[in-house]
Amino acid sequence: MELKDEIVINAPRDVVYDALNDVEVLKECIPGCEELTKHSDTDLEALVVLKIGPVKAKFKGNVTLSPDAPPERFSLKGEGNGGAAGFAKGGADVVLEEHPEGTLLRYDANADIGGKLAQLGSRLVQGTAKKLSAKFFASFAERVSADAAT
């Protein structure tokens, strides 16, 4: 499954980059996030509760950040396990470009799923993934824009 999108955030690029590395900002913006722990500058652990179609599960996962060329770009890889619901693993490349209204954030992500999640059908899973990523980036843009304005 692949997801691509872009969003303009009304804040300077370095502010957006810092927010993408701020555990409190991320925890607030990730849908269903119950816990987010930063073990190092590049390693995070998360506990997220999600409902995808009829399947509701608590996913525990790890994310590794790779700051390729901060603050212009970075990548991340992660995997999560939802017990009987299944698993997901994937990664994303994120590019931050200066924009007249602030920062253009562009991402290109891919994920593989297994277990009950894979049995739900790709349309349902991809639709839910798009909805969750849109919700995250809308919340993130709102939070970072408000922080930059103050």
Side-chain angles (χ1 to χ4, degrees):
M1 166 177 48
E2 290 190 22
L3 295 170
K4 291 182 180 189
D5 205 357
E6 59 184 44
I7 184 170
V8 175
I9 300 171
N10 190 11
R13 180 170 57 189
D14 60 332
V15 172
V16 174
Y17 181 82
D18 289 345
L20 286 168
N21 288 281
D22 185 319
V23 174
E24 292 306 314
V25 172
L26 293 174
K27 182 178 178 186
E28 180 182 314
C29 297
I30 296 170
C33 186
E34 291 188 347
E35 295 176 24
L36 187 61
T37 307
K38 188 173 189 175
H39 294 294
S40 73
D41 285 344
T42 58
D43 295 311
L44 301 171
E45 183 178 355
L47 184 62
V48 179
V49 175
L50 294 175
K51 185 171 187 331
I52 302 174
V55 178
K56 182 176 180 181
K58 194 174 275 198
F59 289 87
K60 186 171 186 165
N62 297 303
V63 176
T64 302
L65 305 172
S66 300
D68 302 331
E72 293 87 17
R73 70 177 59 239
F74 69 93
S75 59
L76 58 97
K77 291 183 181 174
E79 56 184 65
N81 193 325
F87 69 89
K89 63 181 177 177
D93 293 316
V94 179
V95 177
L96 301 174
E97 297 175 4
E98 293 190 13
H99 186 275
E101 295 176 33
T103 302
L104 175 67
L105 182 152
R106 183 179 295 124
Y107 69 91
D108 186 354
N110 65 337
D112 294 317
I113 58 170
K116 283 186 182 177
L117 290 176
Q119 296 171 0
L120 292 175
S122 61
R123 285 183 134 175
L124 176 62
V125 173
Q126 185 144 4
T128 302
K130 283 182 179 182
K131 191 184 312 181
L132 291 171
S133 65
K135 187 174 182 180
F136 167 78
F137 283 111
S139 296
F140 180 80
E142 184 178 311
R143 166 72 192 267
V144 174
S145 297
D147 287 354
T150 58

